C-alpha cells in the first residue's frame, strides 16, 4: 500500500523499450517505402501491386504499437520491484555469502539511521539469504527502512545492457572478477531503478539525501564508484551500462568501475579531466569532493584501526562537516582487528553510527 510511487514509476522501462521498437519498426517501414520507390521506376503495374501490398504494413505497425505496451510490459516486468515512499538506496553483497558480517551490517545500519526516508535495499547476488542470522535479524528488527533481498541473477540481468556480458563471456575467470561483478551490478541497478548506491564499507555519519546525481572523487582528480546517486533514467548511468560491456577489461582492476565513471563523466561534462568538471559543465551532475566519502585516502587506511589512548576520544580532525560517509577501505583493512572497548576511530564511528550492530558485536570484530 505504501508503494504507489514505486509502481507508477515502473512502466517506464517498457516505454523505453517501445522507443527502440518504434525506431526499428520505422526503419522497416522506410525500407519498405524505398522498395516501393524503386518499383515506381520499374513498372506501373508493379507499382499498383506494391502499393496494395506495402501500404497495409504501416497501419499494422501503428496497431502493433497501440496494442504492444501491455504485452511488452508483461514480458519485461521485472520480478524485482524495489518499492519505496521516498528514495531508494542499494547495497550489494557479491562475495556469495548468505549474511552480512558486523562491519557490513554497520554500514547498512548507519545509512538507515541517518536517512530514515530512504529505503535501504541490501541485495545478495544469490537467492539464498540467512535472514535469521544475527546481523540480518538485528537490521530488519530495528529498522523499518531496511530490506534484505536474495536475487536470482539470471532473472535480474535479463534484458539489461550487461546480459550478454554476464551470461556469455568468461568474466568469472578474470583475476578481479568479484570486484568487476560488483561494478557491473551497481551500474545495472542504477540504470534499472535509479537511486543511491553505496559500498558496504562506508559508515554514514550524516544524511545524504541533500545530494542527488553525484559521484565522489577519492583524491581530487579521479572518480570513485563507492558512492553514487543517479535519478531514474539519467543518461550518465545509461552511458555507464553501455560502456561496461563495450570496453570491458578483465585484467585491470579499476577499468570497469572507477575508470569507467571517469570516462563516462568526462564525456558527459565535455571536459578533458575530471578536475575540470563542475555542476554547470556536467548539467547538474556533481563530482563531490573527496571529503564527502573518502576523508582518509586508501594508503592511510590504518588510521581507522590504530590503537589510541584510553582517554583519547577526541574527534579526528578529518571528520569535518563535509563528511557524509567514511569509506574505510575494507579490501585493505578487513584483517585488522577492531576492539569493542577501544578508542580506535573505526570503533568510535561504529559505536555512534550503528548502535544496534555495535551492541551485538563481539569483543573483537
Ligand atoms: C564470506 O564467507 C567466507 C566464507 O564463508 C568468509 O571467509 C568471509 O569472511 C565472508 N565474508 C564476509 C564479508 O562476510
Ligand atoms: C522525511 O519525509 C517527511 C515527509 O515527506 C518529511 O516531513 C521529513 O522532513 C523527511 N525527513 C528527512 C530527514 O528528510
Ligand atoms: C542461519 O544463521 C543462524 C544463526 O547464525 C544459524 O543458526 C543457522 O544455522 C543459519 N542457517 C543456515 C541455513 O545457514
Ligand atoms: C583519563 O582522564 C581522567 C580525567 O581526565 C584522568 O583522571 C585519568 O587518569 C585518565 N586516564 C588515563 C588512562 O589516561
Ligand atoms: C579490550 O579488550 C581486549 C580484548 O577483548 C583486552 O585485551 C583489553 O585489555 C581491553 N582493553 C580495555 C582498555 O579494557
Amino acid at each position: 500500500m505504501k508503494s504507489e510511487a514505486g509502481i507508477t514509476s515502473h512502466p517506464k522501462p517498457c516505454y523505453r523499450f517501445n522507443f527502440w521498437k518504434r525506431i526499428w519498426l520505422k526503419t522497416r517501414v522506410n525500407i519498405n517505402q524505398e522498395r516501393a520507390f524503386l518499383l515506381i521506376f520499374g513498372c506501373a503495374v508493379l507499382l499498383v501491386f506494391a502499393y496494395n501490398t506495402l501500404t497495409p504494413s504501416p497501419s499494422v505497425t501503428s496497431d502493433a504499437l497501440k496494442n504492444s505496451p501491455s504485452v511488452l510490459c508483461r514480458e519485461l516486468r521485472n520480478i524485482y520491484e524495489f518499492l519505496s515512499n521516498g528514495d531508494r538506496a542499494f547495497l550489494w553483497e557479491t562475495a556469495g555469502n548468505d549474511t552480512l558480517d558486523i562491519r557490513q551490517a554497520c554500514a547498512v545500519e548507519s545509512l538507515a539511521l541517518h536517512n530514515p526516508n530512504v529505503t535501504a535495499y541490501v541485495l545478495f547476488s544469490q537467492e539464498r539469504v540467512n535472514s535469521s542470522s544475527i546481523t540480518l535479524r538485528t537490521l530488519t528488527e530495528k529498522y523499518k527502512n531496511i530490506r534484505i533481498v536474495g536475487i536470482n541473477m539470471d532473472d535480474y540481468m535479463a534484458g539489461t545492457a550487461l546480459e550478454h556480458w554476464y551470461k556469455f563471456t568468461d568474466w568469472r575467470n578474470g583475476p578481479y572478477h568479484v570486484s568487476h561483478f560488483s561494478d557491473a551490478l551497481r551500474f545495472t541497478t542504477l540504470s534499472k531503478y535509479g537511486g543511491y548506491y553505496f559500498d558496504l564499507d562506508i559508515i554514514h555519519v550524516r544524511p545524504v539525501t541533500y545530494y542527488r546525481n553525484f559521484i565522489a572523487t577519492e583524491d581530487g582528480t579521479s572518480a570513485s564508484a563507492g558512492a553514487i546517486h543517479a535519478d531514474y533514467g539519467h543518461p550518465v548511468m545509461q552511458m555507464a551500462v553501455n560502456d561496461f560491456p563495450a570496453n570491458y577489461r578483465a585484467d585491470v582492476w579499476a577499468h570497469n568501475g572507477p575508470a569507467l565513471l571517469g570516462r563516462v563523466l568526462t564525456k558527459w561534462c565535455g571536459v578533458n579531466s575530471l578536475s575540470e568538471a563542475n555542476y554547470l559543465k556536467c548539467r547538474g551532475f556533481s563530482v563531490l569532493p573527496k571529503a564527502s566519502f573518502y576523508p582518509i585516502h586508501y594508503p592511510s587506511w590504518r588510521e581507522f584501526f590504530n590503537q589510541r589512548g584510553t582517554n583519547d576520544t577526541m574527534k579526528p580532525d578529518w571528520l569535518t562537516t563535509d563528511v557524509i560517509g567514511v569509506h574505510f577501505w575494507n579490501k585493505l583493512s578487513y584483517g585488522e582487528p577492531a576492539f569493542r572497548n577501544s578508542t580506535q576511530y573505526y570503533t568510535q564511528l561504529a559505536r555512534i553510527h550503528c548502535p544496534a550492530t555495535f551492541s551485538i558485536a563481539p569483543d573483537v570484530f
Side-chain angles (χ1 to χ4, degrees):
M1 51 160 258
K2 52 157 98 167
S3 42
E4 236 83 276
I7 286 172
T8 49
S9 74
H10 268 278
K12 281 178 193 161
C14 302
Y15 295 147
R16 194 176 51 218
F17 187 83
N18 281 341
F19 171 68
W20 290 113
K21 185 176 177 191
R22 202 168 295 153
I23 286 185
W24 178 71
L25 288 168
K26 214 178 255 173
T27 315
R28 284 184 36 130
V29 171
N30 286 345
I31 289 168
N32 287 343
Q33 285 169 348
E34 265 175 46
R35 212 180 286 159
F37 189 67
L38 286 174
L39 288 174
I40 293 171
F41 283 87
C43 168
V45 177
L46 276 180
L47 173 66
V48 171
F49 175 71
Y51 180 80
N52 286 338
T53 52
L54 293 178
T55 40
S57 71
S59 60
V60 166
T61 300
S62 47
D63 279 345
L65 283 177
K66 238 177 274 160
N67 296 336
S68 57
S70 58
V71 177
L72 288 167
C73 282
R74 208 176 315 125
E75 282 169 9
L76 291 177
R77 213 178 73 114
N78 205 289
I79 59 167
Y80 301 109
E81 302 195 81
F82 300 117
L83 307 172
S84 162
N85 290 335
D87 284 308
R88 287 174 291 210
F90 298 97
L91 306 99
W92 274 97
E93 206 300 315
T94 54
N97 287 6
D98 63 0
T99 184
L100 298 180
D101 65 17
I102 291 285
R103 293 187 192 183
Q104 293 172 319
C106 181
V108 175
E109 179 182 356
S110 65
L111 171 67
L113 174 75
H114 289 291
N115 301 279
N117 287 359
V118 172
T119 304
Y121 283 97
V122 183
L123 309 184
F124 286 76
S125 60
Q126 83 275 326
E127 287 174 283
R128 180 180 41 84
V129 175
N130 187 346
S131 50
S132 55
S133 58
I134 179 81
T135 48
L136 297 189
R137 205 152 35 81
T138 303
L139 291 176
T140 50
E141 280 172 5
K142 294 277 164 45
Y143 292 87
K144 299 251 172 300
N145 59 332
I146 295 178
R147 308 266 193 288
I148 310 286
V149 188
I151 300 288
N152 177 311
M153 289 313 304
D154 283 351
D155 288 350
Y156 194 81
M157 299 306 274
T160 70
L162 272 66
E163 181 176 15
H164 182 269
W165 172 84
Y166 176 74
K167 287 185 179 163
F168 303 115
T169 73
D170 69 345
W171 63 271
R172 287 176 184 82
N173 294 328
Y176 308 110
H177 70 276
V178 174
S179 288
H180 292 166
F181 186 35
S182 166
D183 292 332
L185 291 182
R186 71 193 69 184
F187 301 139
T188 299
T189 301
L190 293 185
S191 85
K192 271 167 86 108
Y193 303 104
Y196 292 93
Y197 165 83
F198 296 109
D199 279 351
L200 281 171
D201 52 355
I202 295 175
I203 296 185
H204 293 255
V205 299
R206 55 173 52 78
V208 70
T209 46
Y210 301 109
Y211 309 95
R212 304 182 72 80
N213 296 310
F214 66 77
I215 63 159
T217 172
E218 66 180 54
D219 56 5
T221 55
S222 51
S224 288
I228 308 172
H229 179 272
D231 282 336
Y232 175 77
H234 198 289
V236 165
M237 275 307 125
Q238 303 311 313
M239 290 164 77
V241 292
N242 292 336
D243 183 294
F244 191 98
N247 298 316
Y248 184 72
R249 279 188 64 175
D251 58 330
V252 186
W253 174 77
H255 186 78
N256 318 297
L260 179 153
L261 281 179
R263 286 195 295 279
V264 162
L265 264 193
T266 47
K267 194 192 272 182
W268 170 253
C269 306
V271 294
N272 292 316
S273 81
L274 216 57
S275 48
E276 300 165 35
N278 64 47
Y279 191 78
L280 284 179
K281 285 181 178 156
C282 302
R283 292 172 274 174
F285 205 91
S286 301
V287 180
L288 299 181
K290 63 182 178 183
S292 60
F293 289 99
Y294 309 95
I296 295 293
H297 200 20
Y298 70 86
S300 309
W301 64 267
R302 281 176 198 282
E303 172 83 354
F304 296 121
F305 296 90
N306 285 339
Q307 292 295 340
R308 323 187 62 78
T310 349
N311 273 4
D312 189 359
T313 53
M314 228 169 71
K315 212 174 72 166
D317 55 7
W318 45 261
L319 196 56
T320 66
T321 52
D322 292 341
V323 179
I324 303 165
V326 179
H327 194 287
F328 59 87
W329 309 107
N330 192 58
K331 206 185 297 298
L332 301 166
S333 66
Y334 68 92
E336 204 65 18
F339 298 99
R340 202 169 179 282
N341 60 3
S342 76
T343 54
Q344 289 163 293
Y345 285 146
Y346 180 83
T347 303
Q348 291 193 47
L349 288 170
R351 192 180 285 125
I352 297 168
H353 301 288
C354 59
T357 304
F358 192 77
S359 74
I360 57 163
D363 288 345
V364 184
F365 63 103

